[in-house]
Amino acid sequence: MNERLADSHRVFDRVSEEYDTARPHYPEALYLALETLSGVRLAGATVIDVGAGTGISARGLLDRGARVVAVDRGERMLARLRARTDCPALLADGNDLPFRAGAADLVTYAQSWHWLDPALSVAEAVRVLRAGGVTGDGVIAGAGVIGGGGAVAGWWNTVDPGKADWLAANQVRLAESCPGYIGPVLPGWSMPPIAAAMSDAGLAVAETWIDWTRSVRLEDFLTDLRSHSYMARMEVDVVTELLARERAELGRVFPDGRLTVPMRVYLAVGRKGQRGAT
Ligand SMILES: C[S@@+](CC[C@H](N)C(=O)[O-])C[C@H]1O[C@@H](n2cnc3c(N)ncnc32)[C@H](O)[C@@H]1O
Protein backbone atom coordinates (compact mmCIF):
# COMPACT_ATOMS: atom_id res chain seq x y z
CA MET A 1 0.00 0.00 0.00
CA ASN A 2 1.37 3.45 -0.83
CA GLU A 3 2.31 5.94 1.91
CA ARG A 4 -0.59 8.30 1.19
CA LEU A 5 -3.10 5.51 1.86
CA ALA A 6 -1.17 3.91 4.72
CA ASP A 7 -1.10 6.98 7.00
CA SER A 8 -4.36 8.72 6.07
CA HIS A 9 -6.03 7.81 9.39
CA ARG A 10 -3.19 9.54 11.27
CA VAL A 11 -3.62 12.62 9.12
CA PHE A 12 -7.36 12.77 9.88
CA ASP A 13 -6.77 12.09 13.59
CA ARG A 14 -4.74 15.34 13.66
CA VAL A 15 -7.77 17.34 12.53
CA SER A 16 -10.58 15.29 14.09
CA GLU A 17 -11.88 18.29 16.08
CA GLU A 18 -12.03 20.54 12.99
CA TYR A 19 -13.62 17.72 10.99
CA ASP A 20 -16.27 17.16 13.64
CA THR A 21 -17.02 20.86 13.96
CA ALA A 22 -17.25 21.99 10.39
CA ARG A 23 -17.53 19.32 7.69
CA PRO A 24 -20.88 19.40 5.85
CA HIS A 25 -23.64 16.85 6.26
CA TYR A 26 -25.16 15.06 3.25
CA PRO A 27 -28.51 16.22 1.86
CA GLU A 28 -31.75 14.28 2.24
CA ALA A 29 -31.76 13.63 -1.53
CA LEU A 30 -28.55 11.60 -1.13
CA TYR A 31 -30.20 9.13 1.22
CA LEU A 32 -33.27 8.87 -1.02
CA ALA A 33 -31.05 8.18 -4.06
CA LEU A 34 -29.10 5.62 -2.03
CA GLU A 35 -32.33 3.71 -1.29
CA THR A 36 -33.50 3.92 -4.90
CA LEU A 37 -30.22 2.84 -6.50
CA SER A 38 -29.40 0.13 -3.96
CA GLY A 39 -32.87 -1.35 -3.60
CA VAL A 40 -32.29 -1.36 0.17
CA ARG A 41 -34.65 0.53 2.45
CA LEU A 42 -32.54 2.17 5.15
CA ALA A 43 -35.06 1.66 7.94
CA GLY A 44 -34.12 -1.68 9.49
CA ALA A 45 -31.16 -2.34 7.20
CA THR A 46 -27.80 -3.45 8.57
CA VAL A 47 -25.17 -1.01 7.29
CA ILE A 48 -21.41 -1.24 7.68
CA ASP A 49 -20.11 2.32 7.31
CA VAL A 50 -16.42 2.07 6.36
CA GLY A 51 -14.18 5.07 7.03
CA ALA A 52 -16.95 6.38 9.28
CA GLY A 53 -14.71 9.07 10.76
CA THR A 54 -16.47 11.38 13.21
CA GLY A 55 -19.82 9.90 12.19
CA ILE A 56 -21.37 12.35 9.71
CA SER A 57 -22.49 9.55 7.39
CA ALA A 58 -23.22 7.14 10.26
CA ARG A 59 -25.55 9.65 11.91
CA GLY A 60 -27.34 10.29 8.60
CA LEU A 61 -27.94 6.55 8.23
CA LEU A 62 -28.97 6.09 11.88
CA ASP A 63 -31.43 8.99 11.60
CA ARG A 64 -33.14 7.08 8.80
CA GLY A 65 -33.53 3.92 10.90
CA ALA A 66 -30.51 1.90 9.76
CA ARG A 67 -28.59 -0.34 12.17
CA VAL A 68 -25.11 1.01 11.63
CA VAL A 69 -21.76 -0.50 12.49
CA ALA A 70 -19.01 2.10 12.08
CA VAL A 71 -15.49 1.09 11.01
CA ASP A 72 -12.45 3.36 10.94
CA ARG A 73 -8.68 3.18 11.50
CA GLY A 74 -8.47 6.57 13.19
CA GLU A 75 -8.75 6.39 16.99
CA ARG A 76 -9.47 10.08 17.45
CA MET A 77 -11.96 10.20 14.59
CA LEU A 78 -13.82 7.25 16.13
CA ALA A 79 -13.69 8.82 19.60
CA ARG A 80 -15.62 11.79 18.17
CA LEU A 81 -18.17 9.42 16.63
CA ARG A 82 -18.57 7.54 19.91
CA ALA A 83 -19.15 10.80 21.79
CA ARG A 84 -22.21 11.52 19.65
CA THR A 85 -23.76 8.14 18.85
CA ASP A 86 -24.12 4.81 20.56
CA CYS A 87 -23.80 2.64 17.44
CA PRO A 88 -21.06 -0.05 17.51
CA ALA A 89 -17.78 1.50 16.35
CA LEU A 90 -14.81 -0.70 15.49
CA LEU A 91 -11.19 0.34 15.09
CA ALA A 92 -10.48 -1.79 12.03
CA ASP A 93 -9.16 -1.73 8.49
CA GLY A 94 -11.74 -1.39 5.72
CA ASN A 95 -9.51 -3.56 3.51
CA ASP A 96 -9.87 -6.45 5.98
CA LEU A 97 -13.31 -6.22 7.57
CA PRO A 98 -13.92 -8.07 10.87
CA PHE A 99 -17.32 -9.45 9.83
CA ARG A 100 -18.60 -12.80 8.65
CA ALA A 101 -19.73 -13.30 5.06
CA GLY A 102 -23.27 -12.10 4.36
CA ALA A 103 -23.51 -9.89 7.46
CA ALA A 104 -24.76 -6.66 5.89
CA ASP A 105 -27.41 -5.22 3.60
CA LEU A 106 -25.25 -2.24 2.70
CA VAL A 107 -21.57 -1.31 2.87
CA THR A 108 -21.05 2.44 2.64
CA TYR A 109 -18.00 4.61 2.02
CA ALA A 110 -18.87 8.27 2.56
CA GLN A 111 -15.95 10.45 1.52
CA SER A 112 -13.64 7.53 2.34
CA TRP A 113 -13.19 4.91 -0.39
CA HIS A 114 -10.29 6.80 -2.02
CA TRP A 115 -8.27 6.13 1.18
CA LEU A 116 -8.65 2.36 0.81
CA ASP A 117 -7.12 -0.17 -1.53
CA PRO A 118 -9.41 -0.04 -4.61
CA ALA A 119 -9.62 -3.78 -5.24
CA LEU A 120 -9.23 -5.23 -1.71
CA SER A 121 -11.85 -2.90 -0.23
CA VAL A 122 -14.56 -3.74 -2.75
CA ALA A 123 -13.78 -7.48 -2.56
CA GLU A 124 -14.24 -7.24 1.23
CA ALA A 125 -17.49 -5.34 0.83
CA VAL A 126 -18.85 -7.95 -1.57
CA ARG A 127 -17.86 -10.73 0.85
CA VAL A 128 -19.72 -9.20 3.83
CA LEU A 129 -22.86 -8.36 1.84
CA ARG A 130 -25.78 -10.73 1.86
CA ALA A 131 -26.46 -12.49 -1.41
CA GLY A 132 -29.65 -12.05 -3.41
CA GLY A 133 -32.67 -14.30 -2.95
CA VAL A 134 -33.52 -15.96 0.34
CA THR A 135 -32.04 -14.14 3.34
CA GLY A 136 -29.42 -16.39 5.00
CA ASP A 137 -29.93 -17.35 8.62
CA GLY A 138 -32.50 -14.80 9.67
CA VAL A 139 -30.00 -12.87 11.78
CA ILE A 140 -29.53 -10.41 8.99
CA ALA A 141 -32.13 -7.77 8.56
CA GLY A 142 -34.62 -9.11 6.09
CA ALA A 143 -36.85 -6.25 7.26
CA GLY A 144 -34.90 -3.57 5.44
CA VAL A 145 -34.87 -5.35 2.14
CA ILE A 146 -36.92 -4.34 -0.89
CA GLY A 147 -35.42 -6.97 -3.18
CA GLY A 148 -32.23 -8.42 -4.69
CA GLY A 149 -28.89 -8.70 -2.94
CA GLY A 150 -27.07 -6.17 -0.79
CA ALA A 151 -25.18 -3.20 -2.20
CA VAL A 152 -21.97 -1.21 -1.89
CA ALA A 153 -22.21 2.58 -2.03
CA GLY A 154 -19.62 5.33 -2.20
CA TRP A 155 -20.34 9.03 -2.14
CA TRP A 156 -18.48 12.32 -1.94
CA ASN A 157 -19.54 15.86 -1.19
CA THR A 158 -17.69 18.48 -3.20
CA VAL A 159 -17.95 22.21 -3.74
CA ASP A 160 -19.24 23.24 -7.18
CA PRO A 161 -17.01 26.12 -8.37
CA GLY A 162 -18.71 26.20 -11.78
CA LYS A 163 -21.68 27.86 -10.08
CA ALA A 164 -19.94 30.76 -8.26
CA ASP A 165 -16.96 32.91 -9.28
CA TRP A 166 -15.92 33.54 -5.66
CA LEU A 167 -15.75 29.78 -5.05
CA ALA A 168 -13.75 29.16 -8.23
CA ALA A 169 -11.27 31.87 -7.14
CA ASN A 170 -11.06 30.37 -3.65
CA GLN A 171 -10.34 26.90 -5.04
CA VAL A 172 -7.71 28.22 -7.48
CA ARG A 173 -5.91 29.99 -4.60
CA LEU A 174 -5.96 26.72 -2.61
CA ALA A 175 -4.68 24.73 -5.59
CA GLU A 176 -1.81 27.20 -5.96
CA SER A 177 -0.89 27.24 -2.26
CA CYS A 178 -1.46 23.67 -1.08
CA PRO A 179 0.87 21.03 -2.61
CA GLY A 180 -1.56 18.12 -2.08
CA TYR A 181 -4.73 19.95 -3.13
CA ILE A 182 -7.25 17.73 -4.90
CA GLY A 183 -10.43 19.28 -6.22
CA PRO A 184 -12.66 20.36 -9.05
CA VAL A 185 -10.49 23.21 -10.38
CA LEU A 186 -7.59 20.88 -11.21
CA PRO A 187 -7.34 19.98 -14.92
CA GLY A 188 -8.56 16.43 -15.47
CA TRP A 189 -10.01 16.16 -11.95
CA SER A 190 -12.67 13.50 -11.50
CA MET A 191 -14.33 11.62 -8.69
CA PRO A 192 -12.51 8.51 -7.41
CA PRO A 193 -13.08 5.54 -9.76
CA ILE A 194 -15.26 3.50 -7.44
CA ALA A 195 -17.77 2.71 -10.21
CA ALA A 196 -15.05 0.95 -12.22
CA ALA A 197 -13.87 -0.95 -9.12
CA MET A 198 -17.43 -2.11 -8.42
CA SER A 199 -17.92 -3.17 -12.01
CA ASP A 200 -14.62 -5.10 -11.94
CA ALA A 201 -15.95 -6.91 -8.84
CA GLY A 202 -19.03 -8.05 -10.79
CA LEU A 203 -21.53 -5.60 -9.31
CA ALA A 204 -24.28 -3.86 -11.29
CA VAL A 205 -23.41 -0.16 -11.04
CA ALA A 206 -25.54 2.98 -11.07
CA GLU A 207 -24.32 6.56 -10.54
CA THR A 208 -25.93 9.93 -9.90
CA TRP A 209 -25.10 13.53 -8.94
CA ILE A 210 -27.10 15.58 -6.46
CA ASP A 211 -26.87 19.38 -6.34
CA TRP A 212 -27.46 21.17 -3.07
CA THR A 213 -26.66 24.44 -1.35
CA ARG A 214 -24.84 24.81 1.93
CA SER A 215 -25.36 27.81 4.19
CA VAL A 216 -22.34 28.06 6.50
CA ARG A 217 -20.63 30.64 8.71
CA LEU A 218 -17.34 31.94 7.31
CA GLU A 219 -15.43 30.67 10.35
CA ASP A 220 -16.89 27.18 9.90
CA PHE A 221 -16.02 27.24 6.19
CA LEU A 222 -12.40 28.02 7.15
CA THR A 223 -12.39 25.28 9.80
CA ASP A 224 -13.76 22.87 7.19
CA LEU A 225 -10.82 23.78 4.91
CA ARG A 226 -8.41 23.09 7.76
CA SER A 227 -9.85 19.56 8.13
CA HIS A 228 -8.95 18.56 4.56
CA SER A 229 -6.04 16.14 4.27
CA TYR A 230 -4.09 18.48 1.98
CA MET A 231 -4.06 21.13 4.73
CA ALA A 232 -3.64 18.67 7.59
CA ARG A 233 -0.33 17.62 6.01
CA MET A 234 0.97 21.24 5.91
CA GLU A 235 2.83 23.27 8.56
CA VAL A 236 0.36 24.84 11.00
CA ASP A 237 1.84 28.34 10.60
CA VAL A 238 1.51 28.19 6.82
CA VAL A 239 -2.11 27.04 7.13
CA THR A 240 -2.94 29.81 9.60
CA GLU A 241 -1.52 32.42 7.24
CA LEU A 242 -3.34 30.95 4.28
CA LEU A 243 -6.66 30.91 6.14
CA ALA A 244 -6.16 34.53 7.23
CA ARG A 245 -5.94 35.41 3.54
CA GLU A 246 -9.11 33.42 2.80
CA ARG A 247 -10.91 35.09 5.75
CA ALA A 248 -10.13 38.49 4.21
CA GLU A 249 -11.01 37.48 0.61
CA LEU A 250 -14.26 35.73 1.52
CA GLY A 251 -15.20 38.40 4.05
CA ARG A 252 -15.28 40.90 1.20
CA VAL A 253 -17.77 38.72 -0.72
CA PHE A 254 -19.89 37.83 2.34
CA PRO A 255 -19.67 40.81 4.71
CA ASP A 256 -22.34 39.35 7.01
CA GLY A 257 -20.09 36.33 7.65
CA ARG A 258 -22.44 33.69 6.22
CA LEU A 259 -21.60 31.91 2.96
CA THR A 260 -23.92 30.30 0.45
CA VAL A 261 -21.92 27.46 -1.09
CA PRO A 262 -23.02 25.50 -4.18
CA MET A 263 -22.33 21.83 -3.51
CA ARG A 264 -22.62 18.52 -5.36
CA VAL A 265 -22.67 14.94 -4.13
CA TYR A 266 -21.54 12.12 -6.39
CA LEU A 267 -23.06 8.74 -5.52
CA ALA A 268 -22.12 5.35 -6.99
CA VAL A 269 -23.93 2.16 -6.01
CA GLY A 270 -23.00 -1.42 -6.91
CA ARG A 271 -25.66 -4.09 -6.39
CA LYS A 272 -24.83 -7.68 -5.62
CA GLY A 273 -26.76 -10.51 -7.22
CA GLN A 274 -27.86 -8.42 -10.21
CA ARG A 275 -25.12 -9.37 -12.64
CA GLY A 276 -23.15 -12.56 -13.36
CA ALA A 277 -22.17 -14.82 -10.47
CA THR A 278 -22.16 -12.28 -7.66
C1 LIG B 1 -12.72 11.89 4.91
S1 LIG B 1 -13.08 10.85 6.29
C2 LIG B 1 -14.79 10.39 6.02
C3 LIG B 1 -15.60 10.33 7.30
C4 LIG B 1 -17.09 10.13 7.19
N1 LIG B 1 -17.48 8.92 6.48
C5 LIG B 1 -17.82 11.32 6.60
O1 LIG B 1 -18.76 11.12 5.86
O2 LIG B 1 -17.46 12.46 6.93
C6 LIG B 1 -12.17 9.40 5.80
C7 LIG B 1 -11.99 8.42 6.94
O3 LIG B 1 -11.45 7.20 6.39
C8 LIG B 1 -10.63 6.63 7.40
N2 LIG B 1 -9.78 5.60 6.80
C9 LIG B 1 -8.69 5.77 6.03
N3 LIG B 1 -8.18 4.58 5.68
C10 LIG B 1 -8.97 3.63 6.23
C11 LIG B 1 -8.97 2.21 6.21
N4 LIG B 1 -8.04 1.51 5.54
N5 LIG B 1 -9.92 1.56 6.89
C12 LIG B 1 -10.89 2.24 7.58
N6 LIG B 1 -10.93 3.59 7.63
C13 LIG B 1 -10.00 4.29 6.95
C14 LIG B 1 -9.91 7.82 8.00
O4 LIG B 1 -9.38 7.53 9.27
C15 LIG B 1 -11.02 8.87 8.01
O5 LIG B 1 -11.67 8.92 9.26
Side-chain angles (χ1 to χ4, degrees):
M1 185 185 290
N2 73 37
E3 202 183 318
R4 190 188 76 89
L5 297 186
D7 82 338
S8 70
H9 58 293
R10 288 188 205 96
V11 173
F12 282 110
D13 270 356
R14 262 182 241 152
V15 290
S16 60
E17 184 179 350
E18 289 85 348
Y19 202 110
D20 198 26
T21 305
R23 280 289 183 117
H25 67 277
Y26 304 103
E28 173 69 16
L30 177 273
Y31 296 100
L32 294 174
L34 175 61
E35 288 191 318
T36 303
L37 298 188
S38 68
V40 176
R41 192 185 307 123
L42 291 176
T46 298
V47 183
I48 298 173
D49 190 31
V50 179
T54 61
I56 299 172
S57 43
R59 286 193 297 277
L61 295 161
L62 285 164
D63 287 350
R64 286 155 184 88
R67 291 180 292 186
V68 179
V69 181
V71 173
D72 202 287
R73 286 177 75 203
E75 285 187 40
R76 290 189 186 171
M77 294 293 273
L78 269 191
R80 298 259 162 197
L81 179 145
R82 288 189 179 113
R84 294 218 219 174
T85 69
D86 55 7
C87 74
L90 305 182
L91 190 66
D93 185 351
N95 299 312
D96 186 13
L97 292 171
F99 304 105
R100 66 178 168 79
D105 298 309
L106 265 181
V107 174
T108 53
Y109 308 98
Q111 218 84 16
S112 63
W113 178 79
H114 57 298
W115 297 115
L116 281 86
D117 181 278
L120 288 180
S121 59
V122 176
E124 271 298 80
V126 170
R127 180 183 69 77
V128 301
L129 284 176
R130 64 174 167 73
V134 179
T135 310
D137 55 14
V139 174
I140 299 144
V145 177
I146 293 169
V152 187
W155 65 87
W156 287 265
N157 248 333
T158 181
V159 292
D160 189 355
K163 291 220 180 84
D165 291 346
W166 70 266
L167 186 55
N170 159 260
Q171 294 292 302
V172 168
R173 287 192 298 273
L174 296 179
E176 286 167 356
S177 318
C178 305
Y181 170 91
I182 302 171
V185 295
L186 287 185
W189 175 84
S190 63
M191 279 291 173
I194 193 169
M198 290 171 175
S199 187
D200 289 349
L203 302 175
V205 182
E207 301 165 271
T208 192
W209 288 86
I210 294 149
D211 294 319
W212 68 289
T213 304
R214 182 186 190 199
S215 172
V216 60
R217 291 186 322 126
L218 170 56
E219 285 309 315
D220 287 337
F221 187 78
L222 299 175
T223 304
D224 176 354
L225 291 179
R226 204 186 266 280
S227 78
H228 281 259
S229 61
Y230 59 81
M231 281 212 188
R233 290 182 198 272
M234 292 167 68
E235 295 290 330
V236 174
D237 291 354
V238 177
V239 169
T240 303
E241 201 173 306
L242 202 153
L243 292 181
R245 182 191 68 189
E246 290 309 310
R247 182 177 292 106
E249 293 281 357
L250 299 176
R252 273 191 278 281
V253 184
F254 298 98
D256 68 349
R258 180 159 284 277
L259 280 58
T260 302
V261 187
M263 304 282 299
R264 300 187 85 191
V265 185
Y266 165 72
L267 167 68
V269 175
R271 292 178 70 163
K272 187 170 175 176
Q274 303 284 310
R275 219 190 87 187
T278 58

